[in-house]
Structures are given as C-alpha cells and as structure tokens.
Amino acid sequence: MKVAICGAGIAGLTLAQRLSALGAEVVLLERSPTPRSQDCMIDFFGPGYEAAEAIGVLPAIQEISYHVGTASLFDQDGRRQAPLPYERMVTALDGRLCRVTRTDLEKVLRDNLPRDVQLRFGTQVSQVSSGDDRVLVTLDDGEQLEADFLVGADGIHSIVRSLVFGAESQFLRYLGFHFAAFVCDAHDLTDASGQHYVLTDAVDRQVSLHALRDGRTAVLAVFRAADPEMPGDSRAVLRDVFGGIGWSVPDVLDRCPPAADIHFEPVAQVEMTCWHKDRVVLLGDACSAVSQLTGQGPSMAVAGAYVLADQLRRTSSVQRAFAFYERLWRPVIEAKQEAGRDTVDWLLPGSPSKLWIRRMALRLAWLPMVSRRINVRLVGEPPAVIAMLRNGSPADPADPRSA
Ligand SMILES: Cc1cc2nc3c(=O)[nH]c(=O)nc-3n(C[C@H](O)[C@H](O)[C@H](O)COP(=O)(O)OP(=O)(O)OC[C@H]3O[C@@H](n4cnc5c(N)ncnc54)[C@H](O)[C@@H]3O)c2cc1C
C-alpha cells in the first residue's frame, strides 16, 4: 500500500511512523524547505500523551520536557497578583504531562521515523484527483504521485482541504483573538522573577514568557481583536496592543524578532461536516483544530494519527477505516472544541471584574475544591478512546459510548 501524507508537522510525522510500521510505503510531503523554526511552549497531556506512550516515543518526549515549578501572574507594575497552580494541574493528571517546545516535539517525532519513509522538504501539493481506489497527487514542480490514499495533515490552513473540500472560510470558526508566538533573548526577565514561567495579568490580552534551556525565551502574546483579518505589520501591532502593559513587556517587545520569525495568526477552530472524501482524509488541525488557546492541538494531532492508523490496521477497506476513524475521534474533538470556547473568558478575562474573579480563584487554588474546578475547566475529563484501542478492544465506532 502506498500512502501520500501532505504536511510533516506533528500529525503527519506521527501517522507516517505508524503506517510505515504497518508496512505501508509512505511519502511525506512538507512545504517548508527545512524543519520549521517558529516555536512555542505547549503542554502535552491527555490523549496524545497516551498515544505517545503506546507508540513508544514517550521516554524521548519526557527527556526534552521542562520542569515548571512555581509560575505566577504579574500585573503591569510587576506585582505578583496570583500564583498559577501548575504543579496541581500536573498532580491532577498523575504527572502525565510534559511541557515541551513544539519544535523539540517535532524533532522527536522526526527522529522516530523509520528510514524507509520518504520525507520530502520544499514540496507542495498543487492538485488532487481522487477516484474510488486511487488518488493522483500533482506536486508544485509538476511531478505526479499515485497512491492508495492521501492524508491532508497540513495544518489549520490546509491546502488539501481547500483542493478537495472547498474554501477555508467555510470551515474556520474565529474565536475573537489574534495570537503571536516567537522566541527571543529575554532570560533576564524571567530570572528577575525567580521563575521559569511567568504571565501578565491584564484585561483582554496576555503575554507569557517561558525560559528555554538554550538561554532564549519562548513568548506567547494573545489579544482580543474583533476582526479576524490579520494586520500587515505584526511587530507594530504587538507594540501597539501590548506597549501599555508595563512590567517586562516593553523589554520583550524591544527584543521581538523580525516579522518572518513571528508566528502570527487568528485564534480559530476548524469545523467540518465530514473529514474524508473518496481516497482523501484529513488529520490534525486540517479538519479538527481545537484552537491555539487550549494548548491541546499537538496532543490531539498525535492521538488523531494513532486512531486513524489503528483503524487502517483493523479494517481492510480504506474508506470504511476513514469513516470509523471519524466516528471514533470526532466526539473527542467536538468536546475539546466546546471546552475551548467555554474557557476563553477564563484565559483572557474580558473585563476588570472577570480579571478580579480569576485572581481570587487562583489565590484560593490551594483549596482542593477550587483547584479541582480549575483543573476540570482547563484539562477536562480524559476520553477513553486511546486506552480502548491500546487494550485491543474491538472498537465499535457505532457505539457512542466508545468516545
Ligand atoms: C509557531 C507555532 C506556535 C503555536 N503555538 C501553539 C500554542 O501555543 N498552543 C497550541 O495549542 N497550538 C499552537 N500551535 C498549533 C499547534 O502546533 C498545532 O495545533 C498542532 O501542531 C497540530 O498539528 P498538525 O500536524 O495538525 O499541524 P501543524 O503542526 O501546523 O503541521 C502542518 C504541517 O504542514 C505543513 N504544510 C502546510 N501547508 C502545506 C502544503 N501546502 N504542502 C505541504 N506541507 C504543508 C506545515 O509546514 C507544517 O509542517 C502553534 C503552531 C505554530 C506553528
């Protein structure tokens, strides 16, 4: 069986390893000429953590993970306003959480690829023609690839989705925020607070700083914006929106890298009525982005790839496997997306009173009942799908209890 996967991100890399291990001939097509360097910190837990354990990459992920210790929110005058009960969240998950950078996670997955996976950087899909039993993929240099099926794992702005399912505007649900992730040299700023992970505490916008091992700092900046249209000059916008915050933020803005090194995009989810068509299936953010604010996109990408590969292993018909994958995985995604929308106001309070309520809740987080409520809001209940597939239970996707 020959498989073409478009996108060597977290979902594409995971799926390539799984399908190659099942004996498929895998071609992995990546638009970027080299591994992408734009970075951010993510919390890797939940279904993706379980899937990584099942695949055998968890020890390598644990090795690259960061210990957070104490984390805090600071106001614009540099006063510590509330603790972030990060360790309690880790404890609530029985320690099954790794804080990692996106690029380190991608590297672990890339290093885990079997040698016979063809990973082709600097290659884009420009046309797709799918029939009942084959798919013909045309690349940007005119080369044509024939495969048993094509997987669109090319992220939130998927080209495969546009070519096969229609315009992006039909599928993106804008959540009302813009999001910037970049890495800069700002270690002294976190050191000054005595913590590796610090966040601002302001209405409608937030900057978080996480010190990296190599002496740099991963910065996430999120702010409310009514218009999903992205402004031209990301650095100017960041200076405009965050300039007034004070504390260490002006220093961070001064050290902001050139626009090309800033990952700047609208915060959005992807909602589709169907994730597959003929011999094409979508995976990860391409069909089911849960939003950058949840921090769970990478976990969902690894777990989704695990579910899809598992269904292809169990089912001889490719199209039935696609349908089973979607029936099993869609309820988990929809629950995460709903929770993601519900927690937006908690993560970015929209008024001084909401900000005050969050401060109070975080200050009381040492109380087990408050801590539990915060954890349930942020982490959610773990779905059973991965554990069920790992145990080899005869997954019956028709049974809604499977999710
Ligand atoms: C810099 C950055 C910061 C982020 N920060 C956060 C965060 O803080 N919290 C969070 O939850 N999520 C964040 N995300 C999103 C998160 O990484 C994704 O949710 C997750 O990686 C989903 O994995 P994926 O494989 O579906 O998509 P991606 O990881 O986006 O991978 C898609 C891959 O497809 C490639 N590609 C795109 N188009 C084409 C094409 N036409 N042809 C070939 N290849 C193509 C891309 O180059 C990329 O390698 C961030 C993403 C980036 C890039």
Side-chain angles (χ1 to χ4, degrees), residues 347-382:
L347 295 169
L348 282 136
S351 66
S353 56
K354 287 179 178 167
L355 187 71
W356 185 85
I357 291 169
R358 186 178 72 172
R359 272 182 199 166
M360 291 308 122
L362 290 172
R363 284 178 192 171
L364 292 174
W366 56 272
L367 292 170
M369 220 176 69
V370 179
S371 171
R372 205 162 33 247
R373 284 201 67 164
I374 294 175
N375 285 332
V376 167
R377 274 201 100 173
L378 295 181
V379 172
E381 299 295 342

Side-chain angles (χ1 to χ4, degrees), residues 6-13 29-32 36 38-42 102 106 123-125 153-160 179 181-182 220 262-263 265 283-286 289-299 301:
C6 180
I10 290 168
L13 288 164
L29 308 161
E30 169 57 46
R31 176 177 59 185
S32 171
R36 291 183 310 170
Q38 290 172 329
D39 218 352
C40 66
M41 288 304 285
I42 47 168
R102 207 187 54 79
E106 264 191 19
T123 311
Q124 284 204 60
V125 172
D154 46 349
I156 193 164
H157 304 294
S158 168
I159 186 81
V160 173
F179 163 92
F182 58 90
L220 275 188
I262 302 175
H263 180 78
E265 63 178 7
L283 177 67
D285 276 6
V290 289
S291 113
Q292 303 87 332
L293 294 187
T294 65
Q296 296 192 47
S299 169

Side-chain angles (χ1 to χ4, degrees), residues 1 15 18-19 22 149 275 281 303-330 385-386 388-390 392-398 402:
M1 174 165 292
L15 185 72
R18 296 313 292 153
L19 295 184
L22 294 176
F149 62 93
W275 296 350
V281 66
Y306 184 82
V307 175
L308 176 57
D310 183 90
Q311 295 307 305
L312 285 160
R313 176 179 65 83
R314 289 168 188 255
T315 317
S316 53
S317 149
V318 165
Q319 269 122 332
R320 274 167 59 86
F322 291 171
F324 288 170
Y325 144 71
E326 181 171 341
R327 284 223 294 256
L328 273 173
W329 196 231
R330 177 185 280 281
V385 174
I386 304 298
M388 187 182 70
L389 298 182
R390 275 188 82 178
S393 338
D396 176 7
S402 298

Side-chain angles (χ1 to χ4, degrees), residues 65-360:
S65 78
Y66 285 80
H67 174 72
V68 169
T70 314
S72 299
L73 290 102
F74 289 83
D75 71 11
Q76 55 191 24
D77 300 318
R79 283 181 306 222
R80 184 173 178 268
Q81 283 297 347
L84 186 75
Y86 195 87
E87 286 306 316
R88 281 180 179 264
M89 190 168 106
V90 177
T91 308
L93 288 162
D94 294 326
R96 294 171 70 76
L97 177 150
C98 291
R99 190 159 173 83
V100 295
T101 66
R102 207 187 54 79
T103 52
D104 281 350
L105 179 59
E106 264 191 19
K107 181 170 184 315
V108 164
L109 296 171
R110 215 168 29 250
D111 290 349
N112 192 46
L113 282 183
R115 278 174 174 270
D116 48 9
V117 170
Q118 260 189 65
L119 172 51
R120 294 171 60 173
F121 284 105
T123 311
Q124 284 204 60
V125 172
S126 61
Q127 227 178 305
V128 177
S129 164
S130 178
D132 280 345
D133 56 358
R134 303 292 283 168
V135 59
L136 190 66
V137 181
T138 308
L139 307 181
D140 51 347
D141 63 0
E143 183 187 341
Q144 293 197 314
L145 281 178
E146 213 188 12
D148 290 276
F149 62 93
L150 167 70
V151 183
D154 46 349
I156 193 164
H157 304 294
S158 168
I159 186 81
V160 173
R161 186 184 61 215
S162 299
L163 292 171
V164 178
F165 297 85
E168 170 168 310
S169 53
Q170 303 168 59
F171 309 119
L172 248 55
R173 180 201 270 236
Y174 178 57
L175 296 192
F177 295 88
H178 290 183
F179 163 92
F182 58 90
V183 174
C184 68
D185 173 17
H187 234 55
D188 49 319
L189 306 179
T190 46
D191 287 351
S193 69
Q195 298 177 356
H196 296 306
Y197 182 29
V198 292
L199 305 95
T200 59
D201 184 57
V203 173
D204 278 346
R205 57 211 160 135
Q206 181 165 69
V207 175
S208 74
L209 308 177
H210 197 295
L212 302 178
R213 273 186 282 270
D214 64 5
R216 297 179 305 154
T217 294
V219 181
L220 275 188
V222 190
F223 59 96
R224 208 176 282 271
D227 189 351
E229 196 64 37
M230 296 308 289
D233 185 345
S234 53
R235 294 188 66 182
V237 173
L238 292 178
R239 221 171 278 128
D240 199 34
V241 173
F242 292 98
I245 283 197
W247 183 53
S248 301
V249 176
D251 277 332
V252 174
L253 295 174
D254 281 348
R255 298 176 208 188
C256 189
D261 294 327
I262 302 175
H263 180 78
F264 193 35
E265 63 178 7
V267 173
Q269 297 181 330
V270 173
E271 293 175 328
M272 301 181 73
T273 50
C274 188
W275 296 350
H276 56 95
K277 192 171 182 182
D278 301 326
R279 291 269 162 167
V280 179
V281 66
L282 300 176
L283 177 67
D285 276 6
C287 59
S288 56
V290 289
S291 113
Q292 303 87 332
L293 294 187
T294 65
Q296 296 192 47
S299 169
M300 292 295 139
V302 171
Y306 184 82
V307 175
L308 176 57
D310 183 90
Q311 295 307 305
L312 285 160
R313 176 179 65 83
R314 289 168 188 255
T315 317
S316 53
S317 149
V318 165
Q319 269 122 332
R320 274 167 59 86
F322 291 171
F324 288 170
Y325 144 71
E326 181 171 341
R327 284 223 294 256
L328 273 173
W329 196 231
R330 177 185 280 281
V332 178
I333 291 295
E334 289 181 346
K336 289 278 172 219
Q337 289 182 327
E338 194 184 337
R341 293 190 295 273
D342 288 350
T343 48
V344 160
D345 228 33
W346 164 265
L347 295 169
L348 282 136
S351 66
S353 56
K354 287 179 178 167
L355 187 71
W356 185 85
I357 291 169
R358 186 178 72 172
R359 272 182 199 166
M360 291 308 122

